[in-house]
Amino acid sequence: MIRVLQRSRSVIPSPAKRQIGLLMRLNRSIAAIGITLLAVSGLAACSSGADTPSGQQGAASPGASASGDCPMPGKVTKATIATGPGMQDFVVKYVKSAGLDTKYNLDLDVKSFQNPTATAPAIVQKAVDLGFGGLTTMVQARATGADVIVIGALATANNGVFVKKDSPYHDLKDLKGKRVGSFSPTNGAIGSIVQAYTEKAYGFNLFSDADGKVHVAPDAALLGLMDNNQLDVAVLGADGSALQRASGKYRMITDLGKDFPDQFGFAGVYLAPVTTESYASSHCGEVRAFTSALHDALVEITTKPDVWTEYAKAVGQDGKGAAFQNAYTHSLVTSYGPAQVDGMKKLMEAITPYLDPSFPKSVDPALFSLDYLPFDQ
C-alpha cells in the first residue's frame, strides 16, 4: 500500500546571472516524469508538422544523417518544443540563452509545463514539434500506436538513497523491512530502477519488503520524516540528491548513477529528446539542428565549472560548486549511438517486471532512431 503525500514546490530566487537562472529551474526531479498519456490543453492544436501523416513504421528518413539529404535549414526556422521541470527545462533554456539553436538556423519556441507528465502528451498529440520523454512513457506511447521516436539521449539515473547521518544503517542490505520513503512512485521509472537494483545486488526488494507503507512525497517532506524518526531511508530526486551530497547533512548509502551501472554493466538512459515520425520525415533538418544544439549545450554544461560555482552560492553552499558539477554532470549524456540505444533496451528489460502488469512486455525497435545525429557526427 502506498500513501501519497501532498507535493509542494519550493521556489528559489533567481540569481542575476543567466546561467544560474537556468539552473534554478531544477526544482523537481527529472525522474518525476510518469507514464500518463493525457490530452494537452493550452497549446495550438497543431504544430508545423502536425498535419503530415506518418509514412513509415520504422525510423524516419532512413540514413538521412549519413547523407547530404538532410542539411541544416537554409534560414532560421521556428519549431515548438515542450519542456518540463528538471534537466530538460534547464538544458533547453541554456540552449536559448547561449544562442545554440540559432547557430543551426533553428528558433526554438519553448512551451514550458509545470506538470512533468504533460510534456510527453504534447508530443504524442502533436501539439509541439519536439520535446523530451521518459523512456517508460515513450515505450508505452509507441505500443499504443503513437509515431513517437527517440532521437537522442539526455540523462541516466542520478539519484541517491539517503539515511540520517547518525543512522545505525550503513549499507542498503541493512534496510530490508525498514521504513522507506521515495520521491518516485514504486511503479515509476526510478522506483523500478531502485527495486531492480536491490533485487540484483542484495536479493531483496527495498519497496515490497518495506515495513508497511512506502511513503511517496517530495524530497523535503521525506527528509522531514527522517528527521522525526518516521522513516529509516529515503530515495531522493536528482535535485535533492545533489543538494544533500553537497551539504553532507544526510549520508548517502547508494548512488544509482554509479552503483546501478556497476551492478548491471550499463548506464541506461531513461530521459531522452523525442519527436514524431510525421514531423521528422518532413523537417529532418530542423530535427538535426535540435540534436546539434542539444549536444553543444550538454558539452558546455558539463565542462564549465563557473556555472556550478555560482549555483552553489545561490543555494547556500558556497565553495561546493565542484560537488554540484560532479553530482549532476556524470548523469548527463553527451553522445548518442548504438551503445546508448542498447542501454535503453537493457534498462527496460531490467525494470519492466516492476512496472504495472499491463505495461508492454517488449519494446518496439522502431522507437529508437539514429537518423538525426548532430551535424558534426
Side-chain angles (χ1 to χ4, degrees), residues 315-344:
V315 296
Q317 299 293 328
D318 195 7
K320 297 186 177 178
F324 281 108
Q325 184 174 16
N326 179 65
Y328 278 114
T329 60
H330 77 266
S331 70
L332 295 177
V333 184
T334 56
S335 61
Y336 177 65
Q340 286 70 39
V341 171
D342 185 56
M344 284 188 269

Side-chain angles (χ1 to χ4, degrees), residues 162-166 241-252 317 320 323:
F162 290 83
V163 295
K164 292 174 63 177
K165 202 163 186 177
D166 61 353
S241 295
L243 284 167
Q244 296 311 320
R245 274 184 277 200
S247 71
K249 182 178 179 181
Y250 300 88
R251 181 156 43 86
M252 182 172 67
Q317 299 293 328
K320 297 186 177 178

Side-chain angles (χ1 to χ4, degrees), residues 254-292:
T254 297
D255 178 358
L256 292 179
K258 296 178 181 177
D259 295 338
F260 183 89
D262 287 347
Q263 188 64 226
F264 284 83
F266 64 91
V269 174
Y270 82 101
L271 183 65
V274 298
T275 187
T276 59
E277 291 177 337
S278 51
Y279 177 75
S281 62
S282 57
H283 297 84
C284 68
E286 287 84 347
V287 176
R288 291 191 67 196
F290 170 54
T291 60
S292 299

